[in-house]
Structure formats: structure tokens, C-alpha cells
Amino acid sequence: MTDVTRKDFDEVMVPCYNPMAVIPVRGEGARIWDQQDKEYVDFAGGIAVSCLGHCHPVMVEALTKQANQLWHLSNVMTNEPALRLAKKLVELSFADKVFFANSGAEANEAALKLARRYAVDEFGEHKSKIIAFNKGFHGRTFFTVTVGGQSAYSDGFGPKPGDVEHIPYNDIQAFEAAISDETCAVMMEPLQGEGGIIAPTSEFVQTVRELCDKHNALLIFDEVQTGNGRTGDFYAYQGLGVTPDILSTAKSLGGGFPVGAMLTTEKLAKHLKVGTHGSTYGGNPLACAVAEAVVGHVSQPDVLQGVKEREGLFRAELERINAKYPIFAEFRGKGLLLGAELNDDWKGRSRDILVAAGEEGLMVLIAGADVVRFTPSLVITPEEIKQGFERFEAAVAKLYNA
């Protein structure tokens, strides 16, 4: 096997990423080891993907079993893992129907296309406006990156898909002014992830639902980051008391194996007739077998309750460290999608903390320049949490005392 280093990335990879020097080579639970066999505690979880940590036995068993049975079929046929997974997702949610894709972006693309198709079929071409929110993130395809509310990701590629309007998250007045009978759909995260771990107020999310109903607009919840137990409910909408018309899910759905899904109702699903949408790998037996195992494990009541308990441990440790080294202004989020916002003196330094933590053997994330983000395994042990925060404290102390 050819030895590779971080230098090879610069030579052979498209430079749209800037990865750390560390190259992990193996993982177990909430720990990984790099090429030099240095150990890291993983509070990043592959950006809210590794919901059962690394190489969890239920995932390894499911993948190994399926790998010896059937890898791929065209969509001319269906397969057993896809059907079992779809039935499980329907059982766990509001949905009647499921469409499988390979990623969150593809699931969102399907959601947006379904919304537009429904509006055209039922109301006509004029009902095409999509409302989304500033700092939202919905993927990297041209349609989804345009609907996402961060121009840094969507500018510079020429003309964008039209009839998309962005307004501030949690701003009821702005939403009331934007929505009309021309609105096709509203797309939102029930807890903004990339935008800084921003939760909706109860009044805001209720108003969004009510006005969507009033104007015959569809409500799309992007649960790519919040779904599959991340917030302590299997889907975040279940903790908000508001049900969407369409839901997208990915990331944790496969626990690290690429898979995404769009969930919706019978009434809407019938508008995607044969030939109107598709995916070569969507519903792949390998992906669905792994996702079936992940969903079966994560949806257990004790695992979901454990997410809420681990949230308490994370918040307590963050408060403890901040009392000694006051660099954070606020801790926010839900379950194990948490953000620590830097105070005025430390604004813009989230990446400094990410790098310092890495040097101490801890992997964390950022959500913009001012927020350190934590999306660990949902089954991370209390001991791993304690050890991770010992390393986090060492990193913060080093920066604070510099």
C-alpha cells in the first residue's frame, strides 16, 4: 500500500477543502488514531454523522452481512433493506412515503423539486416562491446552495435558480411580510447548525406552520443535522410540536455510510410520478442495511434519553471551564448539537480553539467564526466526555494564558 501524507492532498485533490495535518487511520467508539498512532477524543462526529461513534458493532455487523449478500440494484427493482428501512422511518415519523438519496443535499434537492412540482400541479406555474432563512445551510448542489442563506457559498457561479427569498431566522414580522399565496414552500432547519446553533422560538415556528397552512405553502424541515436522535427526539420536529409536510434526513442516518432520505405524505408523494425524479444509488442495499441498523439502535428510548443526559454533562463541563477561563458568552443548542458562542473579547477565534483542541488530542467543530460546535457520538461514554473536556480545558487554558 502506498504511503500518503497531508502533502499529497495539495498535489492531487481539488483545493475546495483545507484539511488539518492529521490523517486518522482507525477509530473505535468516540476515539480515533492518526498515522502516528496519536489518540484523539472525537467531539466532532464527522459533523454530526457518526452518531454511534466509530466502528460500532451493530453497523459493522449489518454492513458485513449485506456485503456478502447484495451490493447494488438499479431502480428497475427494489430491495429488502430499502423496504425495511422505509417502513421503519414511516413508523417513526409523520411520513407515509420515503425517497432515498445519497446525501443531505440530494434529499433537500428532492424536497424542493417535490414542492415545486406539487405547486405547479395544484395551483399553476405562478406559485413558485421559496422562502428560506439567513445563515441557513441546505447543501452544495446549485439549487440547495441557493436556498441556503449564506451567500459566501452560493456567489460566484453565475445566475442562480430564481424565486428564492431569504429572511432573518426567528423574525415573525419579516416572515409575515414575505409569505403570500405565491409562496410554494418554506424551508428551514428546526435548529440551525452551520449558522451558529440557533433554535427557533416556539412562537416563531408555530407562526411559520400556521401561515404556511393559510397560504397553501409547504413546510420543509431540513433535519439533515438534527435528525436521528441528535436533539434527544428522533426528529427535532417532535420536540417542537410542529409537523412539516416534507422532511429531509441524512448525516446520522447511516452513521457514516452515505445515505439520505426525503420523507413526506401520501398526498404530496403522488406528484412525483414515474420518471419525474430518481437516483442511481438511492436505496442502495449496503447503505440501507447499515441505516436500518443505525435507526433501530438510535430510536430505542434509552438511547434517546441518554442523549438528553449527555447534554447535561456537556453543559456542566462547559460551564465549569468557562468559570475558570471566561471566553464564552453563551451555550446553546439541544441534545448533542451544541454551540459555545465566544464573548466579545474572543470574537473571531473559534478556529484557534479548534486547532488548539486538536493539538491536545480532541476533535471539535466550529459554526462560523464565533461559535465552537460539538456534535459527538450519541452513545459517547461519560468517561470519554470527561477525558475530552480535560483536553478541551488544556487547550482553552493555553490560549487564555498566552
Side-chain angles (χ1 to χ4, degrees):
M1 186 178 294
T2 304
D3 289 332
V4 291
T5 68
R6 172 60 177 81
K7 183 174 178 289
D8 291 300
F9 180 95
D10 296 328
E11 294 180 359
V12 299
M13 301 287 277
V14 172
C16 56
Y17 301 118
N18 181 28
M20 299 166 67
V22 172
I23 299 182
V25 294
R26 62 187 176 94
E28 181 179 349
R31 300 174 190 274
I32 62 171
W33 289 264
D34 68 12
Q35 290 174 313
Q36 286 70 48
D37 208 34
K38 179 178 177 178
E39 180 209 74
Y40 299 79
V41 175
D42 186 2
F43 279 5
I47 313 183
V49 168
S50 305
C51 60
L52 296 180
H54 300 277
C55 301
H56 193 286
V58 303
M59 296 195 300
V60 173
E61 181 183 356
L63 180 59
T64 304
K65 181 180 177 183
Q66 189 60 43
N68 286 296
Q69 292 179 338
L70 186 66
W71 281 43
H72 178 73
L73 291 167
S74 76
N75 288 313
V76 172
M77 292 170 280
T78 188
N79 65 81
E80 291 180 342
L83 294 174
R84 289 194 302 263
L85 175 58
K87 290 178 74 169
K88 187 68 173 175
L89 293 174
V90 165
E91 174 190 321
L92 289 167
S93 72
F94 71 92
D96 308 310
K97 301 287 185 178
V98 178
F99 172 84
F100 287 120
N102 307 293
S103 66
E106 289 183 34
N108 282 332
E109 186 86 14
L112 292 163
K113 285 179 69 176
L114 172 57
R116 282 271 177 88
R117 175 59 66 120
Y118 170 75
V120 168
D121 287 351
E122 294 293 318
F123 303 100
E125 296 276 354
H126 67 281
K127 192 174 176 67
S128 59
K129 180 179 174 182
I130 294 168
I131 297 174
F133 297 92
N134 297 339
K135 298 186 179 180
F137 185 86
H138 301 298
R140 297 282 195 166
T141 66
F142 209 10
F143 197 176
T144 58
V145 82
T146 300
V147 175
Q150 301 188 54
S151 59
Y153 296 151
S154 60
D155 288 354
F157 298 99
K160 301 176 186 179
D163 228 359
V164 177
E165 179 178 357
H166 295 97
I167 61 173
Y169 198 77
N170 272 331
D171 188 328
I172 291 175
Q173 284 187 317
F175 185 74
E176 289 174 336
I179 195 167
S180 72
D181 289 341
E182 307 296 299
T183 303
C184 157
V186 176
M187 184 173 233
M188 65 179 287
E189 298 161 271
L191 171 60
Q192 282 195 326
E194 303 292 328
I197 320 298
I198 309 297
T201 65
S202 178
E203 183 184 8
F204 176 70
V205 76
Q206 293 285 345
T207 300
V208 169
R209 176 70 273 181
E210 290 166 7
L211 290 181
C212 281
D213 291 340
K214 178 181 176 182
H215 293 284
N216 291 313
L218 299 180
L219 177 56
I220 304 170
F221 268 11
D222 178 339
E223 292 233 29
V224 170
Q225 192 159 173
T226 58
N228 306 293
R230 177 62 51 187
T231 64
D233 296 295
F234 190 74
Y235 288 122
Y237 83 84
Q238 293 163 334
L240 292 177
V242 165
T243 302
D245 301 296
I246 306 172
L247 181 149
S248 60
T249 176
K251 286 191 180 286
S252 293
L253 179 60
F257 202 102
V259 63
M262 177 193 71
L263 282 57
T264 191
T265 62
E266 171 84 39
K267 174 185 175 182
L268 300 181
K270 66 183 182 182
H271 290 270
L272 284 186
K273 299 178 177 67
V274 174
T276 55
H277 194 54
S279 170
T280 295
Y281 293 106
N284 174 272
L286 286 172
C288 290
V290 176
E292 180 191 0
V294 171
V295 168
H297 194 78
V298 169
S299 62
Q300 295 175 19
D302 61 323
V303 175
L304 293 174
Q305 179 58 37
V307 171
K308 297 170 184 176
E309 293 167 359
R310 286 161 174 78
E311 176 188 356
L313 296 177
F314 264 75
R315 287 183 177 273
E317 286 291 316
L318 286 167
E319 294 283 3
R320 179 186 65 79
I321 292 169
N322 203 44
K324 294 173 69 174
Y325 309 102
I327 67 172
F328 297 111
E330 180 184 14
F331 305 116
R332 56 186 184 235
K334 189 175 183 182
L336 291 175
L337 176 51
L338 298 171
E341 183 183 21
L342 293 163
N343 62 29
D344 289 341
D345 292 336
W346 286 76
K347 290 288 186 189
R349 298 195 63 186
S350 61
R351 185 166 178 82
D352 292 346
I353 294 171
L354 178 149
V355 171
E359 291 171 352
E360 296 296 329
L362 175 71
M363 303 185 74
V364 298
L365 298 168
I366 62 175
D370 303 326
V371 178
V372 180
R373 178 171 34 157
F374 304 90
T375 58
S377 159
L378 305 184
V379 294
I380 187 171
T381 66
E383 292 75 20
E384 289 166 331
I385 293 172
K386 183 174 183 295
Q387 185 174 8
F389 274 111
E390 287 173 355
R391 299 178 186 190
F392 189 69
E393 181 175 357
V396 171
K398 188 176 292 184
L399 290 172
Y400 190 84
N401 293 322

